Amino acid sequence: MSDRRGSTLTASSTRTFAGRIKSLRPTAMALALRSIPVGFLLTGVAIAPATHAAEDTLPTVDVTAHSDTNTTGYVAKGTTTATKTNTSILETPQSVSVVTRDQMDQQNAQTLNAAVRYVSGVTTETRGGVATRYDLLMVRGFTADTYLNGLKLLQNNQYAVPQFDPYLMDSIDVLKGPVSVLYGSAQAGGLLDQESKMPTARPLHEIGIEFGNYAHKQATVDLSGPIAGDDHYLYRFTGLVRKEDGQVQSTLNERIAIAPAFTWRPDDRTTLTLLALYQHDPRSTSYGSVPPQGTTQPNPNGKLPSDFYDGDPNFESFNRSQESIGYKFERLLNDTWAVRMNGRYLHLSQDYKSVYGSGLEPDLRTLDRGTAASSDTLNTVSLDNQLEGNFATGAVSHTLLAGFDYQHLASGYLWGFGSAPSLDVFAPVYGQTIDPPALSMNHVSSTQYGLYLQDQARWNNWLLTLSGREDWSHTDTRNDTFGTQDNQSDRAFTKRAALTYLFKNGIAPYVSYTEAFVPQAGTDRTGKAFDPERAHQYEIGIKFQPPKYNMLFTAALFDLTRENLLTSDLVNPNFQTQSGEARSRGLELEAKASLTDSLNVTASYTYLDTKYTKDNSGLAGKFVAAVPQNQASAWAYYTLNRGPLAGLSLGAGGRYTGTTYSSDNSFEVQSFFLVDATLRYDLGRASSSLKGSSLYVNAQNLLNKKYVASCYYGSWCAFGYGRQVFAGMNYKW
């Protein structure tokens, strides 16, 4: 059963808004720092002033862009994700969280889910600790899309779903709520944009080895710097090899990944970066489940162990290969205008077979099972072209962004379901004869393109953001086995409006409204094609960035509604109608601080009220499955710089996930609290001959809490991550 829903090289220095610029390396992306008044240096080019009307009234805000030295600590003040211009988080009128490379390293995040565990509004354990082959998570109670370098990772809505290792990434941006106004078709929850490690002008060399429980073994390499000492030509090479047992018995996880990149900077106005990526996952852990009886609910026969396996090792397989090549191009045309171009081609091939449980018999020990199989190929092309201008009309300064993007997907897949022998869950016998399911040949081709326009207008301390976009999409589907064919075309307009006030003390309250849409395949009982699902969000929030301190505090209240959801047709239950609706209302609090070079802290709290408000199948008024009402987390990492323990770093954190509900709300899944911890020692503090070397140990779910992470589809539940312990060594030179 298919149940998933699931910056380029810039300056190495700190950029400063409204009146201050520090040592700036040449790059065209600096044009996107639209708060710098006209007349200051931009990518090393002197620009004649157009106006100074706003530069004396806006507060001074230090912004660290994506750089060749990376953001230090946990506070990334600048992001391009929410506006596609390099805007400070303080000035971004929508909730966005950035997980930096430092945070990922210190928490030893090895999946996207693990990387965003401490982010407000994100529910990461919707499939527990088993289904690591896909990034299955929710943002603000709904599905979110994954992106790579600002371009959507397209999928075929079956099993061909791209996934890349977080070790290859420099940061992860989480933009919460509808995002269609800049990105086109998008899920209501938002997006997670993974930013690749980029070539650096400063030489960087790092290798690492790591071991852990579940027979975990891993080796990494990260190399970067100028080619032959010429900083017009830069390179980066990142690689990883990993092998480990799955947390479910009889399963394995294997991965090899490499990501080479090359940057050419022919002059101060131009940057071209080529990015390639190859990842092969010859094995992946279970995609199964456990029944609620014996896990979250009583079972007279006993409790199931947390490593229970509902499949069969002689039948199951998973093999996925992914290759991509892309580019980032930036060119400063003149003192006012710049162009940016971003593109990627991605190929994915995958073979998948699985046995899955479908529910217990009345004896509460015999598990009925079925089979699923798929052989997929996926080819995608994604393009995004932008024109940005920075100018003034009287007392109002503008950052105007116009763009055109294009997405194309072509996929062919053999796909089918079958039956499998039942299994005694308390005395399982594996290696049974299982016939592969009959497969049908399917093809899907989809194209989407859109035009968007955005203006970030400033007057004194006010910032008004207005955005609009028109999208066109077309999808063709064909089943060669049954001789069926269908096509569907959609068109949608989305918009965003937001107002921010910037106090000189670093406080920035804002209000915003934004929209999203997702095309839906199929027709109702009259033969009318379904309209796209629509979503809209109202958000009010406040952000605080104390001057002279590397801290960021955010708070947001939001009301997010999904409309045109498919639900049962009351006239003819064999058909669906678009009268469904779901709503998520909530509060998000988040704090990030790098108080000194020694102390990094992140903390968050989320309250979510996520329910179906309209539904014909009995879900109206019920909670969305696997979404907790309350979540909280806190993490601190401290390095001792003096005394006999100088060079020792200690990190610890806790994560609380509140009660969740099954898909029909017939039972609850208990809350849980998990503890993480880490120790690291810089060997160079003990001996100069060991400079650049460090040892570390990391534990996730340190207390080995046994818990069910979520239940979905009524009869499917998933155990959460057990204790994971990693020990390793890094060497940098």
Side-chain angles (χ1 to χ4, degrees):
M1 178 178 293
S2 180
D3 61 307
R4 299 166 302 73
R5 301 194 167 78
S7 114
T8 65
L9 177 75
T10 55
S12 63
S13 59
T14 300
R15 274 79 175 236
T16 305
F17 279 115
R20 295 191 293 145
I21 289 209
K22 299 179 182 178
S23 56
L24 211 59
R25 287 187 181 272
T27 173
M29 180 60 93
L31 183 66
L33 301 178
R34 74 281 177 277
S35 330
I36 298 175
V38 178
F40 284 85
L41 293 179
L42 188 61
T43 68
V45 180
I47 299 177
T51 181
H52 299 280
E55 66 184 69
D56 294 327
T57 55
L58 286 176
T60 298
V61 180
D62 291 334
V63 173
T64 303
H66 292 291
S67 69
D68 64 9
T69 57
N70 301 328
T71 298
T72 301
Y74 291 5
V75 185
K77 308 177 195 69
T79 176
T80 62
T81 302
T83 60
K84 291 191 176 181
T85 63
N86 204 326
T87 303
S88 72
I89 294 180
L90 193 69
E91 296 179 326
T92 301
Q94 192 169 341
S95 287
V96 58
S97 299
V98 180
V99 181
T100 65
R101 184 69 253 169
D102 277 356
Q103 183 176 339
M104 285 187 276
D105 287 341
Q106 291 171 9
Q107 296 177 342
N108 202 18
Q110 302 197 356
T111 64
L112 179 61
N113 282 335
V116 297
R117 283 170 174 166
Y118 287 84
V119 175
S120 64
V122 180
T123 305
T124 59
E125 298 219 23
T126 60
R127 287 291 301 269
V130 291
T132 59
R133 66 182 63 169
Y134 301 119
D135 299 317
L136 303 167
L137 47 77
M138 294 184 179
V139 178
R140 291 186 168 176
F142 299 131
T143 303
D145 296 308
T146 55
Y147 281 65
L148 177 64
N149 299 323
L151 298 173
K152 189 175 182 179
L153 291 171
L154 303 173
Q155 52 183 272
N156 69 351
N157 292 321
Q158 292 299 326
Y159 294 102
V161 182
Q163 182 196 57
F164 295 113
D165 200 279
Y167 182 76
L168 309 177
M169 308 303 159
D170 183 61
S171 64
I172 299 169
D173 292 12
V174 184
L175 181 57
K176 306 165 190 177
V179 299
S180 286
V181 72
L182 291 181
Y183 292 95
S185 172
Q187 299 290 340
L191 66 82
L192 294 93
D193 186 24
Q194 304 159 92
E195 294 288 335
S196 295
K197 293 179 176 178
M198 306 296 287
T200 65
R202 177 178 58 86
L204 181 155
H205 312 92
E206 179 180 0
I207 57 174
I209 57 171
E210 184 178 273
F211 301 91
N213 61 336
Y214 298 105
H216 173 85
K217 297 175 286 292
Q218 177 177 286
T220 57
V221 59
D222 191 6
L223 309 173
S224 188
I227 298 176
D230 187 346
D231 62 7
H232 287 63
Y233 305 96
L234 311 174
Y235 83 98
R236 191 153 191 174
F237 181 86
T238 309
L240 170 143
V241 178
R242 179 186 300 134
K243 184 176 182 180
E244 61 192 2
D245 293 338
Q247 296 197 33
V248 172
Q249 56 179 294
S250 305
T251 62
L252 288 173
N253 189 35
E254 298 177 352
R255 171 169 292 173
I256 179 171
I258 58 173
F262 168 77
T263 291
W264 177 41
R265 302 192 297 191
D267 54 48
D268 292 347
R269 294 172 174 258
T270 310
T271 302
L272 173 65
T273 299
L274 303 178
L275 299 147
L277 196 151
Y278 169 79
Q279 182 172 302
H280 182 206
D281 302 325
R283 303 287 295 270
S284 185
T285 55
S286 172
Y287 199 50
S289 65
V290 293
Q293 300 87 357
T295 54
T296 64
Q297 297 181 305
N299 188 322
N301 299 293
K303 291 186 176 181
L304 290 177
S306 58
D307 65 346
F308 171 75
Y309 179 43
D310 65 343
D312 195 291
N314 292 343
F315 181 86
E316 294 204 82
S317 64
F318 180 87
N319 191 330
R320 176 177 62 196
S321 293
Q322 303 167 100
E323 304 92 24
S324 76
I325 185 167
Y327 63 87
K328 283 179 170 286
F329 175 78
E330 303 172 3
R331 172 67 178 175
L332 179 65
L333 300 177
N334 54 37
D335 296 347
T336 301
W337 298 96
V339 295
R340 293 190 292 273
M341 300 179 184
N342 191 8
R344 180 177 65 241
Y345 166 76
L346 182 146
H347 172 77
L348 183 153
S349 59
Q350 177 179 281
D351 289 307
Y352 162 66
K353 289 193 300 181
S354 178
V355 179
Y356 60 92
S358 57
L360 288 177
E361 296 279 356
D363 63 2
L364 297 183
R365 63 180 304 139
T366 302
L367 181 68
D368 293 330
R369 299 190 297 171
T371 60
S374 179
S375 180
D376 305 67
T377 60
L378 173 69
N379 294 283
T380 68
V381 175
S382 302
L383 305 171
D384 189 12
N385 303 296
Q386 304 165 19
L387 175 67
E388 181 179 327
N390 290 268
F391 56 90
T393 55
V396 181
S397 62
H398 301 266
T399 296
L400 186 68
L401 178 72
F404 168 79
D405 59 22
Y406 170 87
Q407 301 173 358
H408 178 70
L409 174 152
S411 178
Y413 56 96
L414 288 163
W415 175 63
F417 298 108
S419 60
S422 60
L423 188 73
D424 186 337
V425 297
F426 293 100
V429 177
Y430 300 107
Q432 303 183 58
T433 300
I434 302 175
D435 296 324
L439 304 179
S440 63
M441 186 66 208
N442 301 268
H443 301 271
V444 58
S445 175
S446 67
T447 300
Q448 178 186 304
Y449 56 93
L451 293 167
Y452 56 89
L453 186 67
Q454 175 180 269
D455 186 18
Q456 296 167 274
R458 291 174 175 76
W459 178 74
N460 293 331
N461 290 52
W462 293 96
L463 173 59
L464 176 66
T465 302
L466 298 174
S467 315
R469 178 184 174 108
E470 189 76 23
D471 276 286
W472 297 263
S473 68
H474 182 81
T475 302
D476 291 303
T477 58
R478 186 178 81 249
N479 185 299
D480 292 345
T481 304
F482 300 104
T484 59
Q485 187 169 349
D486 192 21
N487 61 82
Q488 183 164 335
S489 296
D490 292 287
R491 181 174 179 177
F493 178 79
T494 51
K495 56 188 178 294
R496 173 171 67 182
L499 184 64
T500 304
Y501 187 84
L502 300 165
F503 289 94
K504 292 184 178 181
N505 61 0
I507 295 175
Y510 68 92
V511 294
S512 68
Y513 170 84
T514 187
E515 297 177 340
F517 81 98
V518 179
Q520 300 186 102
T523 61
D524 62 16
R525 58 182 167 85
T526 67
K528 179 180 178 297
F530 290 130
D531 293 327
E533 176 190 320
R534 304 298 297 240
H536 63 267
Q537 175 181 271
Y538 299 92
E539 180 172 321
I540 180 172
I542 188 169
K543 302 181 181 183
F544 176 46
Q545 192 172 5
K548 302 180 181 180
Y549 292 95
N550 197 16
M551 303 177 179
L552 181 65
F553 303 90
T554 62
L557 289 166
F558 62 89
D559 188 328
L560 170 58
T561 302
R562 297 171 60 195
E563 300 172 325
N564 293 346
L565 302 186
L566 301 182
T567 185
S568 300
D569 191 324
L570 295 177
V571 177
N572 188 339
N574 294 320
F575 290 88
Q576 291 182 302
T577 186
Q578 289 192 268
S579 59
E581 182 182 277
R583 184 207 68 215
S584 181
R585 294 175 176 171
L587 166 69
E588 292 172 351
L589 304 174
E590 187 167 289
K592 287 181 175 287
S594 294
L595 301 174
T596 66
D597 292 338
S598 302
L599 180 61
N600 293 311
V601 177
T602 183
S604 71
Y605 169 76
T606 306
Y607 171 78
L608 290 175
D609 182 20
T610 309
K611 294 180 178 179
Y612 295 98
T613 49
K614 298 178 182 179
D615 185 81
N616 295 336
S617 59
L619 293 178
K622 295 182 177 179
F623 292 100
V624 174
V627 178
Q629 283 191 285
N630 292 280
Q631 288 179 269
S633 66
W635 167 272
Y637 187 88
Y638 183 71
T639 300
L640 298 168
N641 290 315
R642 295 189 178 94
L645 298 178
L648 180 67
S649 300
L650 307 93
R655 296 176 278 131
Y656 171 79
T657 300
T659 300
T660 61
Y661 295 87
S662 64
S663 53
D664 60 358
N665 286 199
S666 60
F667 60 90
E668 296 181 357
V669 179
Q670 292 184 347
S671 62
F672 52 89
F673 178 76
L674 308 176
V675 176
D676 307 318
T678 191
L679 288 173
R680 181 180 292 267
Y681 183 66
D682 182 355
L683 295 174
R685 296 294 189 98
S687 171
S688 59
S689 63
L690 299 175
K691 183 180 179 180
S693 303
S694 62
L695 295 172
Y696 65 89
V697 60
N698 174 274
Q700 301 171 23
N701 188 5
L702 175 66
L703 304 180
N704 201 24
K705 170 74 174 180
K706 307 289 188 187
Y707 65 100
V708 173
S710 62
C711 291
Y712 40 91
Y713 299 136
S715 61
W716 286 21
C717 299
F719 282 109
Y721 288 90
R723 178 166 53 211
Q724 295 175 288
V725 180
F726 308 104
M729 178 177 182
N730 288 336
Y731 175 59
K732 298 180 181 180
W733 72 98

